[in-house]
Amino acid sequence: MKIAKPATHGFDASRLAAIDTLIQARYIDSGKLPNAQLLIARDGEIIHFSNAGAAREGGNAIDEGSLFRIASMTKPITSVAFMMLVEQGLVAVDTPVHHVLPEFKDIGVYDGGGGRVPFVTKPTAEPMRMVDLLRHTSGLTYSFQNRSNVDAAYREGKIESWHGGHDLDGFIGALAKIPLEFSPGTAWNYSVATDVLGAVVQRVSGLPLDQFFKERIFAPLKMDDTFFQVPADKLDRLTDCYTLVAGKGRVMYDRGAESAWSRAPKLLSGGGGLVSTALDYHRFNTMLLNGGELDGARILGRKTLDLMTQNHLPGKSDLATMSKSLFSEASNAGTGFGLGFAITDDVAKTMVPGSKGEFYWGGMFSTAFFVDPVERLSMVFMTQLSPSSVYPIRRELKTMIYAAMT
C-alpha cells in the first residue's frame, strides 16, 4: 500500500497522529472497541492509514488484509447497482415498485390490528416508487425498531433472517403481506428498503444479486475482498465481532473462525450482508469521488452521481423533520438523503465540520465512510461492535480529520 505524505495533500501529520492517539487511549486501551482501522484519502490517494487492536480474541493485530462485516455500508453498493440499471434504460428512479415486484401491487398502509388480530389497511396515497426505496421513504421498517405492530410482524415472521426460510423472492412475498407503516413519500424510516432494492436489481438484471455485484462492480473496481460469503481460504482474515449487552459489557457476537459469514446466506441482503476491507471500500469511495470511474473502469456516469448525491427528501427537508426512525446511521439536523446516501445539506445545523454536499453512511458494527467532493476527501473507518450508536466516535473522527486540514 502506497501512503502519500500528508503535507503534500494539505494535511498536518501531527494532527492526524493525534487521531490515532485518541482512538488508542479512549477506545482500545479502555476496551470499548476491540479494534479500529482508519483510512483517510485526498484526491483518491491514501494519506493516513492506521491500525489498533486485535483481529481476534488473543490474536494478532488487525492489518490491511483484515476483513470486516460492513453491514449497512452494503446499501450504497446496492444503490449504485440499481442506478447502473437506470443508466441502461431498464428501470427508472420514479418507476412504481410493483412494476418490477408485482407482489407489492396491493400493499396497504397500517390502519389497525396486529398481534392476534388481523391487520386493517387503507390504500396508499401514492404508489411506492424506486426513489422511496433509495431514500427510505417507502413505509417499510426494520424488525429491530421495536415501536409498532408492523415491525412486530417482521419479527414474528423472521423475514429478515439471512439463514432462514426465505431467499430474496420469498422475502419479497412475505414482506408484501405486511402493511406499510405510512404512505410512501410522507415520512422517513430506516428500513429493509435497500434489501427490496436488491430484489429489484436481481429481477431487472436477470442475475443473482451476488453475481451482479461481482461481475459489474467488484471485478471492474478490483474489490477482490468484498463478498456475501467469506471464501474458505480467506476466513483466517475475518475479525471477531462483538455486541454490547447491558450489564455485561462487550460480548462475542460472531467469532471470526466459525463465523456465520463463512456460510452462504439463503437471503442475499443488499441492505447489510457484505464483508469487505478498508482498502476495497476505499476503491469504491474513490470511484464515487471520481464521478463514477476508477483506473479506466467506468461504473456510473458523472451526472448520475450528481443526481444520487443531492437531497431527495420531499421539499428538501431533513431527517430531523421527516424521520420516524428510532435508529439510523445518520445524525438528523441538517442531514438530507439522496439516492443511497445521507447528504450533508446544512453544515451549521450538523454542528460538525464538513462540506455541503458530502455524502456518507455507516454500518451497525460501527463501521463508517464519508466522501466530500468539495475537499476531494474520503474516509473509511472499520471496527466490529454493535450497536453503532453507543459511542460518538464517528463525530470525533470527522471533527479531527477536518481539523487536520491546513
Side-chain angles (χ1 to χ4, degrees):
M1 175 185 19
K2 182 183 175 185
I3 300 178
K5 290 184 178 179
T8 62
H9 288 273
F11 274 84
D12 183 319
S14 65
R15 286 187 164 221
L16 291 175
I19 305 174
D20 299 339
T21 301
L22 177 129
I23 290 172
Q24 185 70 47
R26 185 170 292 174
Y27 292 103
I28 306 302
D29 294 345
S30 67
K32 289 178 179 176
L33 293 179
N35 48 50
Q37 189 171 81
L38 177 63
L39 185 157
I40 304 167
R42 199 166 200 187
D43 288 313
E45 288 197 49
I46 299 170
I47 59 163
H48 183 85
F49 188 87
S50 61
N51 297 296
R56 291 184 177 178
E57 203 169 44
N60 296 328
I62 56 169
D63 58 29
E64 64 184 71
S66 295
L67 293 164
F68 299 86
R69 301 153 194 79
I70 63 170
S72 287
M73 280 167 59
T74 305
K75 288 179 169 70
I77 295 172
T78 304
S79 302
V80 163
F82 173 80
M83 295 305 291
M84 294 169 76
L85 299 173
V86 170
E87 288 192 331
Q88 291 180 257
L90 299 175
V91 66
V93 173
D94 65 347
T95 298
V97 173
H98 70 266
H99 285 192
V100 176
L101 305 177
E103 295 94 326
F104 278 84
K105 180 164 176 50
D106 296 317
I107 196 166
V109 178
Y110 178 82
D111 199 33
R116 299 175 184 271
V117 180
F119 281 120
V120 177
T121 64
K122 56 188 176 185
T124 60
E126 294 286 338
M128 184 196 302
R129 302 182 190 276
M130 300 299 174
V131 66
D132 293 308
L133 298 178
L134 288 154
R135 68 187 181 186
H136 291 288
T137 56
S138 62
L140 297 164
T141 190
Y142 263 129
S143 60
F144 61 71
Q145 293 276 3
N146 281 304
R147 60 179 179 74
S148 73
N149 286 350
V150 174
D151 62 55
Y154 283 35
R155 289 193 296 280
E156 185 180 353
K158 297 180 179 176
I159 60 173
E160 296 168 48
S161 173
W162 301 346
H163 297 280
H166 297 304
D167 60 8
L168 254 181
D169 287 333
F171 164 76
I172 294 300
L175 191 62
K177 293 182 173 71
I178 302 172
L180 301 175
E181 287 199 334
F182 52 83
S183 197
T186 62
W188 189 93
N189 187 43
Y190 200 35
S191 75
V192 297
T194 319
D195 292 281
V196 175
L197 198 68
V200 171
V201 170
Q202 188 165 277
R203 290 210 193 164
V204 171
S205 69
L207 293 173
L209 187 63
D210 54 350
Q211 187 179 338
F212 185 96
F213 280 3
K214 185 175 182 180
E215 293 179 6
R216 299 286 302 275
I217 300 174
F218 300 154
L221 292 180
K222 298 183 173 61
M223 294 172 64
D224 301 325
D225 286 327
T226 306
F227 20 65
F228 286 104
Q229 178 186 7
V230 180
D233 62 350
K234 295 186 179 185
L235 189 60
D236 63 321
R237 293 161 51 194
L238 181 62
T239 51
D240 286 343
C241 189
Y242 299 82
T243 191
L244 208 62
V245 176
K248 293 184 179 180
R250 201 181 81 201
V251 301
M252 187 69 70
Y253 172 80
D254 182 69
R255 200 174 291 278
E258 57 241 23
S259 173
W261 277 261
S262 69
R263 308 193 306 272
K266 185 168 186 178
L267 175 63
L268 293 170
S269 171
L274 289 174
V275 166
S276 190
T277 63
L279 289 174
D280 264 20
Y281 214 89
H282 163 64
R283 292 190 66 80
F284 181 72
N285 278 351
T286 306
M287 176 274 293
L288 297 173
L289 188 65
N290 290 348
E293 182 271 340
L294 180 64
D295 296 341
R298 178 151 299 277
I299 304 299
L300 284 174
R302 178 174 62 86
K303 296 303 287 185
T304 302
L305 256 300
D306 284 350
L307 178 67
M308 293 179 74
T309 55
Q310 295 181 50
N311 182 12
H312 284 260
L313 294 181
K316 297 292 184 185
S317 186
D318 67 0
L319 298 188
T321 305
M322 286 199 71
S323 178
K324 291 183 178 292
S325 188
L326 288 184
F327 173 81
S328 85
E329 299 291 346
S331 58
N332 285 345
T335 302
F337 214 88
L339 304 182
F341 319 92
I343 309 291
T344 297
D345 219 29
D346 188 324
V347 177
K349 285 184 178 179
T350 70
M351 292 188 282
V352 180
S355 299
K356 181 179 172 63
E358 74 185 52
F359 52 95
Y360 65 94
W361 205 237
M364 71 177 288
F365 301 117
S366 303
T367 60
F369 83 95
F370 74 78
V371 177
D372 180 344
V374 177
E375 298 290 349
R376 302 283 300 165
L377 177 67
S378 64
M379 179 209 79
V380 182
F381 177 72
M382 296 292 201
T383 187
Q384 297 283 258
L385 177 77
S386 70
S388 61
S389 54
V390 179
Y391 305 120
I393 188 165
R394 293 171 178 172
R395 184 185 70 207
E396 293 162 352
L397 289 173
K398 194 160 179 281
T399 299
M400 295 183 80
I401 290 168
Y402 279 96
M405 296 178 72
T406 58

